[in-house]
Amino acid sequence: MSLDPPTYLNSLQNNIRARPIPWEGAVRAGTITDQDLKKIKAVDKVRKEQRKQTVEADVGTYRTLLLGGESGKSVLESAAKRADVVQYILVLTGDLLNDVPGLPSALLDHSDPYKPFLPLLTHSSNAEDPIPLLTSSVLASLISAAQTKFPKSTPQTDEALPKLYKYLAGLTKSQDSGLQDIAVQEYSAVLRTKKSRELFWKQRQETVGPLMEILRTASGAGKDTDSTLWSGGASIRSATDAGLGGGVGLQVLYHVLLVLWQLSYEGSLVGKGLEEEHEIIPLYTQLLRLSPKEKTTRLLLSTLLNLLTPTSNRAYLLATAVSVRLPNLLSNLKGRHLTDPDLLDDLQSLTDMLNEYTSSQTTLDEYSSEVLAGHLKWSPPHRDQTFWRENASKIVTDNKGELPKKLAEIMSKSWDNDKQVLAIACNDVGWLVKECPEKRGELEKLGLKGRVMELMAEPDENVRYESLKAVGEWLRYSFDK
């Protein structure tokens, strides 16, 4: 998948190409050999076609120049103490990889094609240091070529990818959108195979975490601001007029979504983890509301479809999708003038999948889905006396008490940005005690009684009211033996 070069990187490379390098002085100092200089000058500052012919006529010599051979080091290793020479050679290497179709394959025939480059990723801890930046670009191009040449991957590529991911992850944490864009475009260049995506997921605290933070910022929800995601507070029109949250640019947003779309092709591996660790379904639902362009909408829908399709994900992720009102949003999207055929196909597939799921759900299923999704709202079952009378016993006992355990987990959080969740949880606990007094001991062992009593001191009036009611149900039976 070809993307326009990041502006920041393109500008840096142009500046380095324009710099005069005292090559003869470098030869006299022993930084490079006279033979190295002849090879460099034969392809430097010449027309693209001439450069292509020169390298193709002697590709083995240029492989040795860039990677080293039995008789000596690569030019990058020889010139290690001259930052200006190293930067220039890195830019020239990138140009050669782009201009000479046969060169990447020839380099990959080397026994250790990444050896001269990998140490340069740790040349400096400064995110703006040109040497690691330029090195990452060369490595991304070379690894991408390797994935085409060797579809089943190689030990060298499997060793190089985590090191490249680690460096790029540092760029995604930068406040500079130019550096972020370099990282996500290079991620995209190498996430072409199952193995590369598995390695990316294995390092997800470094790789995925910062990308999800960028998306949360774009959605208008901070790290702990769950209520925005679950309530769907912004409209498509307000987002389009006001721009994306936190100043996230459209280009960076698109490229981050592209990387996560590529990752979503391993949906059965990553789906549950993305929801548990980053609440991707509420986040993507909110981003769909805000999506300013068809191309971002297309990536959002396609990623959701990839995550919801695997059978292993459906019970968990479809329940969450219904809780955050994704079906209603999809219905609204159908009313917009959308033209992209792939987008329309994915929209219909998602709609059909969710319709099939919701049509088979009972009221208890809907309640269970909401609780298991980990975020409560005042949906009809919570205040329905008939619902609790008919289902409280099942809720307490089914699946080894899965739902009360989940309620305890929900109540263990502070919910500083959405206190309503605690009020609803207290309401539910009160109903369970009222309808199943014989199960009080089991509920108490889960910490529900203690937590409800703690919440009587909450500043939020609704939480205090619901916790007081729940404690009242417990006290009703406090003298029973």
Side-chain angles (χ1 to χ4, degrees):
M1 186 172 295
S2 177
L3 299 173
D4 293 333
T7 305
Y8 187 110
L9 183 62
N10 203 31
S11 176
L12 174 64
Q13 291 167 333
N14 285 336
N15 288 338
I16 291 171
R17 289 187 192 101
R19 293 176 192 168
I21 302 292
W23 293 113
E24 285 72 16
V27 172
R28 288 194 298 272
T31 302
I32 60 174
T33 68
D34 189 54
Q35 287 299 311
D36 288 344
L37 180 56
K38 288 179 181 177
K39 296 170 196 168
I40 291 167
K41 286 194 169 183
V43 295
D44 186 32
K45 293 181 170 48
V46 298
R47 294 191 310 275
K48 180 176 177 179
E49 188 57 34
Q50 182 180 341
R51 171 181 287 168
K52 177 174 177 288
Q53 291 175 359
T54 301
V55 174
E56 287 180 342
D58 198 6
V59 71
T61 297
Y62 280 92
R63 178 173 58 219
T64 301
L65 173 72
L66 297 175
L67 301 181
E70 294 179 4
S71 58
K73 299 178 179 178
S74 99
V75 67
L76 287 167
E77 292 169 313
S78 300
K81 294 182 180 179
R82 284 285 302 272
D84 59 336
V85 173
V86 171
Q87 291 174 22
Y88 200 92
I89 295 299
L90 286 169
V91 172
L92 182 61
T93 302
D95 292 341
L96 292 175
L97 290 171
N98 289 328
D99 295 346
V100 186
L103 181 61
S105 180
L107 295 182
L108 293 165
D109 286 334
H110 191 278
S111 60
D112 200 350
Y114 311 118
K115 181 174 178 285
F117 305 110
L118 289 174
L120 298 179
L121 288 176
T122 55
H123 178 266
S124 167
S125 59
N126 178 5
E128 297 183 12
D129 186 329
I131 288 178
L133 275 174
L134 297 166
T135 301
S136 71
S137 177
V138 170
L139 277 170
S141 295
L142 201 52
I143 290 171
S144 180
Q147 291 169 336
T148 301
K149 184 178 174 71
F150 308 111
K152 292 186 178 180
S153 193
T154 65
Q156 293 92 338
T157 298
D158 292 348
E159 180 185 350
L161 270 171
K163 296 175 182 178
L164 177 61
Y165 288 157
K166 182 178 179 64
Y167 172 71
L168 296 178
L171 297 186
T172 61
K173 296 173 186 174
S174 169
Q175 297 303 305
D176 188 317
S177 61
L179 294 176
Q180 290 177 337
D181 200 38
I182 290 171
V184 291
Q185 288 212 42
E186 290 177 10
Y187 276 154
S188 183
V190 299
L191 285 173
R192 301 173 58 168
T193 65
K194 181 179 180 67
K195 183 66 174 181
S196 66
R197 294 189 288 266
E198 289 172 347
L199 290 170
F200 189 82
W201 180 247
K202 187 175 181 180
Q203 288 175 249
R204 61 186 176 276
Q205 285 191 325
E206 289 180 301
T207 56
V208 177
L211 301 183
M212 300 304 292
E213 277 305 297
I214 292 171
L215 295 184
R216 289 182 74 91
T217 300
S219 76
K223 176 68 177 173
D224 299 313
T225 313
D226 297 305
S227 57
T228 301
L229 297 182
W230 287 81
S231 65
S235 70
I236 293 172
R237 178 173 297 277
S238 64
T240 305
D241 292 344
L244 294 161
V248 176
L250 179 59
Q251 177 169 299
V252 171
L253 173 68
Y254 176 74
H255 291 151
V256 171
L257 292 175
L258 180 63
V259 168
L260 291 166
W261 169 73
Q262 290 171 276
L263 181 64
S264 74
Y265 276 87
E266 307 308 320
S268 57
L269 172 68
V270 308
K272 191 170 182 182
L274 283 172
E275 181 56 30
E276 289 178 344
E277 296 168 25
H278 300 291
E279 293 193 318
I280 193 168
I281 303 300
L283 176 57
Y284 267 51
T285 301
Q286 177 69 355
L287 287 169
L288 268 176
R289 293 186 181 100
L290 303 171
S291 179
K293 299 286 184 181
E294 266 198 31
K295 64 180 185 178
T296 51
T297 300
R298 181 177 65 244
L299 286 174
L300 288 162
L301 289 172
S302 184
T303 302
L304 285 170
L305 186 60
N306 287 344
L307 295 176
L308 291 170
T309 296
T311 305
S312 58
N313 292 347
R314 288 197 172 192
Y316 182 53
L317 297 186
L318 285 172
T320 305
V322 171
S323 293
V324 296
R325 297 176 293 204
L326 179 58
N328 293 342
L329 177 58
L330 297 180
S331 178
N332 292 338
L333 284 176
K334 284 189 168 186
R336 296 175 63 190
H337 182 62
L338 301 170
T339 59
D340 184 280
D342 291 333
L343 182 161
L344 293 169
D345 285 346
D346 289 344
L347 178 57
Q348 188 59 51
S349 296
L350 273 172
T351 300
D352 292 344
M353 186 187 300
L354 285 160
N355 284 344
E356 181 182 349
Y357 175 77
T358 53
S359 66
S360 66
Q361 298 295 288
T362 65
T363 306
L364 178 57
D365 290 331
E366 292 173 5
Y367 174 79
S368 300
S369 297
E370 184 183 327
V371 173
L372 293 175
H375 197 286
L376 306 178
K377 60 183 186 296
W378 282 117
S379 53
H382 295 286
R383 287 171 164 153
D384 185 340
Q385 182 176 355
T386 302
F387 168 80
W388 290 104
R389 186 169 61 246
E390 294 176 351
N391 295 294
S393 180
K394 294 178 185 176
I395 289 171
V396 173
T397 58
D398 281 5
N399 296 322
K400 299 180 180 179
E402 178 183 36
L403 292 178
K405 289 174 184 175
K406 187 64 180 181
L407 277 175
E409 179 187 321
I410 292 170
M411 293 181 73
S412 69
K413 301 176 183 179
S414 62
W415 296 97
D416 290 333
N417 295 294
D418 198 1
K419 291 294 184 182
Q420 167 180 271
V421 173
L422 292 175
I424 299 168
C426 288
N427 167 84
D428 292 3
V429 171
W431 277 111
L432 291 176
V433 174
K434 180 177 182 178
E435 297 298 333
C436 301
E438 72 282 3
K439 300 292 185 180
R440 295 192 316 282
E442 295 176 26
L443 298 174
E444 189 167 350
K445 286 178 183 177
L446 295 175
L448 289 170
K449 181 179 180 181
R451 180 58 173 151
V452 166
M453 294 181 74
E454 287 176 7
L455 293 174
M456 290 172 66
E458 264 287 325
D460 185 272
E461 180 181 353
N462 291 324
V463 176
R464 289 201 310 272
Y465 173 71
E466 296 295 344
S467 62
L468 181 62
K469 284 200 324 182
V471 170
E473 294 299 338
W474 240 298
L475 291 177
R476 183 196 302 264
Y477 302 100
S478 62
F479 300 107
D480 289 358
K481 294 183 180 180

